[in-house]
Amino acid sequence: MDVSTIFGSMVFNETVMQERLPKEIFKSLKKTMEEGSALDLTVANSVANAMKNWAIEKGATHFTHWFQPMTGITAEKHDSFISPIPGGKVIMEFSGKELIKGEPDGSSFPSGGLRATCEARGYTAWDPTSYAFIKEGSLCIPTAFCSYSGEALDKKTPLLRSMDALDKQCRRVLKLFGKDVKKVTSTVGPEQEYFLIDKKLYNKRKDLMFCNRTLFGARPPKGQELEDHYFGAIKPRIIAFMKDLDEELWKLGILSKTKHNEVAPAQHEMAPIFTTTNLSTDQNQLTMEIIKKVALKHDLVCILHEKPFNGVNGSGKHNNWSLSTNTGENLLEPGNTPEENAQFLLILTAVIKAVDEYQDLLRLSVASAGNDHRLGANEAPPAIISMFLGDELTAILESIMSGKPYDKKAKEVIKLGVDTMPAFPKDNTDRNRTSPFAFTGNKFEFRSLGSSMSISCPNIMLNTITADAMCQFADELENADDFNSALNALIKKTLNEHKKIIFNGDGYSQEWVEEAARRGLLNLKTTSDALPHFLDEKNVKLFAKYKVHSKTEMEARYEIQMEEYCKVLNIEVMTMLEMVKREITPAVINFAKDVADSALSMKNLIGNAAKTQIELVKTVSELTDELTDKTKALEAVILKVKEYDNATDCAKFYTASVIPAMNDVRAVADKLETIVGSEYWPFPTYADLLFRI
């Protein structure tokens, strides 16, 4: 396989555009892509024709506006290129109008009240900054999705708005340092974790099919405690899957770079090279879809839930975020002497200020029913948002805050004590696996994202809050009489005001929880704790100022996410009740009956009571009764949900009452699993799911 040949072969990328478009058309489109200038219909018609011809040559027969509604996944409606002509024939046509605009149903997707059932019209609008691609015989055109009245109904539109805000404010700051760049963009490289399990075993578990996580499951004798799966030799079946996955991703121009076993059994990771945030978001949505499809071809099922198995690591999506200029400069690159790099220190200070002031937005951007199970353990960061900077940067900032000279240490060299092994320089920072937002050399790694979620929302937050800090800095420094003096004073003042967000220690410790409370940091443990802060006055004003979200759009998004949280948990409850009543309880009763029959047979045979069987029947019967009682209690609790007529109160009730009742049912069922004979247990166990690949 020639990777360089297949890479991007199914993408209408810049190289293809340059080859197929007239020079002036390409130049005009390029200007639209880079500067956001309006696209002329004549240009659109020419681009559409070239796209169609290229797609047909690649075997495509249809086109679709590919968009990202508030469901968190992608959506597509396919139309063929055919157009009738006299004589009962057809020709293949695709116009600029069809390229630019589509009209999917605006009321059948989550809208948070923005659209009623009788108000069906919605629009998709081409996003020229993200390349069109071919998938399964259709030309897919990345688009934004809005309502008839103009409100954004998707995850792409506000992301593009946030990138625009960040660009404008960053260029203002860079201009103060004598740099007149044309564009500043945020870049992201999202690491994607996932589980793979055998398809036949998956199909035997309703909880996995309906909820994407196990609602029951006793811990197997072996889990991840030997730490032998992480970076271990990859099994042949998984290697074959990964090979096919890379090939499919490369065809779509996705820079799949790294693959390896993760910490938990059956858990793996794929990591791409970073690219602009808009394109990276589109590509990550495609990656999740393709992982699932390729897995099925290998009789595997990909599980993207944040915590599919209790007792082992959950799956996250580390969001490696940075800032780059059109000249190729990474604005978060410290250089060899970061203490002398005033531009870097100002931008770093802006990010520190942004994260401290908007902890709530970062936390709620990763809130979901699934991620609530993951945050705070097994290498996932805690719910408390903090920043890790490492020893060197922290020391530099402390010297600025105190006004004392920085004691620069010589660059340390790591020597392994073996003459044949090379020495190598030590990095400026260590890595902190417990930090939600860690500086890792020339970028920040936002580690709190759940594996199944779109990276759009967290990056909307990062872009917007950083734009706000940059704006405030530019406002102050643009009017300064003495720039250098004002710059130094601003950095020192801001660091002293926001240093509480910096923490380089163990985020899992109880001491940190107590220290964070003393510092005044938020500890929003659950989705129902975090999401209401989205509508705090300061946040509404922030998004309105930079035209990222209107208040109406924010209210709609809040309603959608709260309702989704409740719906997910309701599905889990209904699945749990069905599994208990129709699978677990009958299996346990059958087991108890057979043991009791065995006891009677033993007594008839030898004339003595069978002590072991009698005790086992007694234990199982008591636990079965307890399971029935806990199940009835869960049913009673779930009926009370109907008493709540708004999403906020409903979500809080699920968190406070429904989830504990579910945990009670699971605890008894899992105890029974360890007692009941394996041939009686109605579905595959953790040992089956995690180790039978």
Side-chain angles (χ1 to χ4, degrees):
M1 177 177 62
D2 185 350
V3 177
S4 61
T5 299
I6 70 165
F7 187 83
S9 59
M10 305 305 281
V11 183
F12 194 74
N13 55 31
E14 192 170 321
T15 300
V16 178
M17 292 179 198
Q18 198 162 12
E19 290 173 352
R20 291 177 173 263
L21 294 174
K23 187 175 181 180
E24 288 305 311
I25 296 293
F26 174 75
K27 185 177 178 181
S28 178
L29 180 60
K30 182 83 169 164
K31 186 175 182 181
T32 296
M33 294 169 63
E34 293 181 349
E35 301 177 17
S37 58
L39 188 70
D40 184 83
L41 184 58
T42 303
V43 174
N45 281 327
S46 181
V47 173
N49 188 59
M51 268 190 191
K52 177 206 68 178
N53 291 337
W54 170 81
I56 290 172
E57 289 172 18
K58 295 287 185 179
T61 56
H62 289 67
F63 69 92
T64 178
H65 277 199
W66 184 81
F67 58 103
Q68 299 170 39
M70 293 299 294
T71 55
I73 56 177
T74 59
E76 49 199 56
K77 181 187 76 170
H78 301 256
D79 291 298
S80 69
F81 290 121
I82 64 171
S83 181
I85 58 173
K89 300 288 186 179
V90 296
I91 59 172
M92 306 295 264
E93 288 187 333
F94 183 50
S95 68
K97 184 179 178 181
E98 290 172 309
L99 169 63
I100 290 173
K101 191 186 79 169
E103 293 191 20
D105 191 327
S107 64
S108 297
F109 292 101
S111 69
L114 289 177
R115 295 269 81 190
T117 303
C118 62
E119 299 170 327
R121 192 181 296 279
Y123 297 112
T124 49
W126 177 36
D127 170 20
T129 66
S130 187
Y131 300 131
F133 56 91
I134 295 173
K135 179 169 68 77
E136 297 170 344
S138 284
L139 172 66
C140 299
I141 302 154
T143 54
F145 177 42
C146 67
S147 73
Y148 180 68
S149 48
E151 294 95 351
L153 294 176
D154 67 342
K155 294 178 177 287
K156 176 183 278 284
T157 303
L159 179 63
L160 293 171
R161 294 169 180 169
S162 74
M163 293 177 69
D164 186 53
L166 182 67
D167 168 47
K168 289 176 181 176
Q169 302 308 324
C170 283
R171 282 192 286 111
R172 287 179 65 195
V173 169
L174 292 178
K175 195 168 184 178
L176 296 169
F177 290 91
K179 297 179 178 178
D180 191 16
V181 301
K182 291 183 178 179
K183 192 80 172 176
V184 176
T185 57
S186 59
T187 60
V188 172
E191 305 168 29
Q192 180 70 57
E193 295 175 346
Y194 57 93
F195 281 84
L196 290 174
I197 61 173
D198 187 272
K199 182 182 175 183
K200 292 179 181 177
L201 299 177
Y202 170 90
N203 287 334
K204 293 179 180 179
R205 292 203 56 138
K206 291 179 181 176
D207 49 3
L208 285 176
M209 288 193 291
F210 296 145
C211 309
N212 296 310
R213 78 176 183 101
T214 54
L215 302 176
F216 302 101
R219 294 190 183 188
K222 179 181 182 293
Q224 64 186 50
E225 61 271 23
L226 293 181
E227 301 169 335
D228 54 346
H229 192 257
Y230 189 54
F231 280 19
I234 304 172
K235 295 178 181 179
R237 188 177 179 186
I238 305 303
I239 278 285
F241 156 81
M242 288 180 168
K243 180 178 181 295
D244 286 353
L245 175 62
D246 275 340
E247 185 172 339
E248 293 303 314
L249 294 176
W250 288 337
K251 288 177 184 177
L252 291 169
I254 298 172
L255 294 158
S256 179
K257 177 73 172 177
T258 303
K259 57 185 180 184
H260 61 82
N261 287 345
E262 255 299 333
V263 173
Q267 187 185 32
H268 312 279
E269 180 178 300
M270 165 268 173
I273 299 173
F274 71 90
T275 186
T276 58
T277 304
N278 178 37
L279 189 56
S280 183
T281 301
D282 286 358
Q283 291 184 346
N284 184 250
Q285 292 292 129
L286 271 174
T287 296
M288 291 190 286
E289 176 187 332
I290 293 167
I291 289 177
K292 291 179 180 179
K293 289 180 178 178
V294 173
L296 290 174
K297 292 179 181 179
H298 291 262
D299 290 323
L300 298 166
V301 174
C302 169
I303 305 293
L304 290 175
H305 193 281
E306 286 73 21
K307 194 74 170 179
F309 303 103
N310 192 33
V312 298
N313 270 23
S315 292
K317 180 148 44 191
H318 303 160
N319 190 87
N320 295 286
W321 177 86
S322 192
L323 301 170
S324 296
T325 69
N326 63 293
T327 60
E329 180 183 5
N330 183 338
L331 299 181
L332 288 177
E333 173 59 61
N336 294 325
T337 55
E339 71 278 8
E340 298 173 6
N341 189 340
Q343 176 185 293
F344 165 75
L345 290 173
L346 181 66
I347 293 171
L348 176 64
T349 301
V351 177
I352 292 170
K353 171 183 168 67
V355 173
D356 184 33
E357 290 183 340
Y358 294 101
Q359 307 160 44
D360 53 347
L361 288 179
L362 292 184
R363 170 62 185 94
L364 68 87
S365 75
V366 298
S368 71
N371 216 19
D372 281 357
H373 295 290
R374 168 182 167 265
L375 292 178
N378 298 105
E379 292 198 10
I384 303 167
I385 297 295
S386 64
M387 298 177 70
F388 169 83
L389 297 180
D391 294 338
E392 182 178 11
L393 281 182
T394 301
I396 291 171
L397 299 186
E398 285 176 349
S399 74
I400 293 172
M401 288 184 280
S402 66
K404 297 178 181 178
Y406 170 60
D407 182 17
K408 181 175 175 60
K409 298 177 181 178
K411 189 76 171 179
E412 291 186 51
V413 173
I414 293 180
K415 298 179 180 178
L416 300 179
V418 180
D419 291 341
T420 57
M421 300 291 287
F424 52 87
K426 186 176 180 180
D427 287 323
N428 292 338
T429 66
D430 197 353
R431 299 190 70 184
N432 189 328
R433 307 294 288 181
T434 69
S435 176
F437 199 69
F439 189 74
T440 55
N442 60 4
K443 63 186 183 303
F444 278 99
E445 185 179 34
F446 190 15
R447 296 175 49 80
S448 301
L449 283 72
S451 55
S452 68
M453 61 180 50
S454 165
I455 67 172
S456 177
C457 187
N459 287 293
I460 290 169
M461 304 305 185
L462 284 171
N463 292 343
T464 308
I465 66 177
T466 303
D468 186 55
M470 293 284 199
C471 177
Q472 292 180 48
F473 284 2
D475 286 345
E476 185 165 340
L477 294 174
E478 283 170 348
N479 298 315
D481 294 327
D482 183 335
F483 174 71
N484 289 330
S485 176
L487 174 65
N488 293 332
L490 175 61
I491 292 175
K492 180 176 181 179
K493 174 177 175 289
T494 305
L495 290 174
N496 275 301
E497 289 174 348
H498 299 286
K499 61 185 179 183
K500 67 178 183 293
I501 199 69
I502 301 170
F503 177 66
N504 293 339
D506 181 5
Y508 288 167
S509 68
Q510 181 58 34
E511 289 80 8
W512 168 233
V513 175
E514 296 166 2
E515 170 64 20
R518 284 193 293 270
R519 294 187 186 190
L521 301 183
L522 297 171
N523 187 4
L524 305 172
K525 295 181 180 180
T526 68
T527 296
S528 60
D529 293 330
L531 275 179
H533 287 279
F534 188 49
L535 298 180
D536 286 354
E537 185 179 359
K538 71 177 181 68
N539 296 332
V540 174
K541 287 182 177 178
L542 171 76
F543 290 115
K545 178 179 179 180
Y546 297 101
K547 296 181 174 58
V548 173
H549 287 305
S550 68
K551 185 178 181 180
T552 302
E553 289 173 340
M554 292 180 70
E555 290 170 342
R557 276 163 167 70
Y558 172 75
E559 196 74 15
I560 289 168
Q561 288 188 263
M562 275 301 200
E563 285 184 355
E564 180 186 356
Y565 175 77
C566 296
K567 288 175 181 177
V568 166
L569 289 172
N570 187 65
I571 291 170
E572 290 185 354
V573 170
M574 295 300 105
T575 305
M576 175 172 272
L577 292 173
E578 181 168 327
M579 292 177 74
V580 169
K581 291 179 177 181
R582 301 184 64 183
E583 295 182 280
I584 296 175
T585 300
V588 171
I589 290 173
N590 286 337
F591 172 73
K593 178 182 179 299
D594 287 352
V595 175
D597 289 345
S598 172
L600 287 173
S601 298
M602 291 286 288
K603 185 176 182 180
N604 292 333
L605 180 66
I606 62 177
N608 294 324
K611 183 179 178 182
T612 299
Q613 287 96 322
I614 291 171
E615 289 182 353
L616 183 56
V617 170
K618 183 179 178 181
T619 299
V620 171
S621 296
E622 289 174 350
L623 285 172
T624 304
D625 289 343
E626 185 180 357
L627 179 63
T628 300
D629 291 341
K630 298 296 185 185
T631 301
K632 288 180 179 178
L634 176 59
E635 288 178 310
V637 168
I638 198 66
L639 286 175
K640 294 181 181 179
V641 169
K642 297 177 182 178
E643 299 174 9
Y644 298 92
D645 57 3
N646 70 76
T648 301
D649 292 340
C650 184
K652 290 181 181 294
F653 179 76
Y654 268 105
T655 302
S657 300
V658 177
I659 291 176
M662 293 175 67
N663 292 339
D664 289 344
V665 173
R666 176 173 186 158
V668 183
D670 287 357
K671 191 179 294 185
L672 279 165
E673 184 186 324
T674 65
I675 300 171
V676 173
S678 58
E679 68 272 24
Y680 292 86
W681 201 247
F683 39 75
T685 65
Y686 274 22
D688 298 323
L689 296 168
L690 294 173
F691 293 97
R692 287 177 59 182
I693 296 290

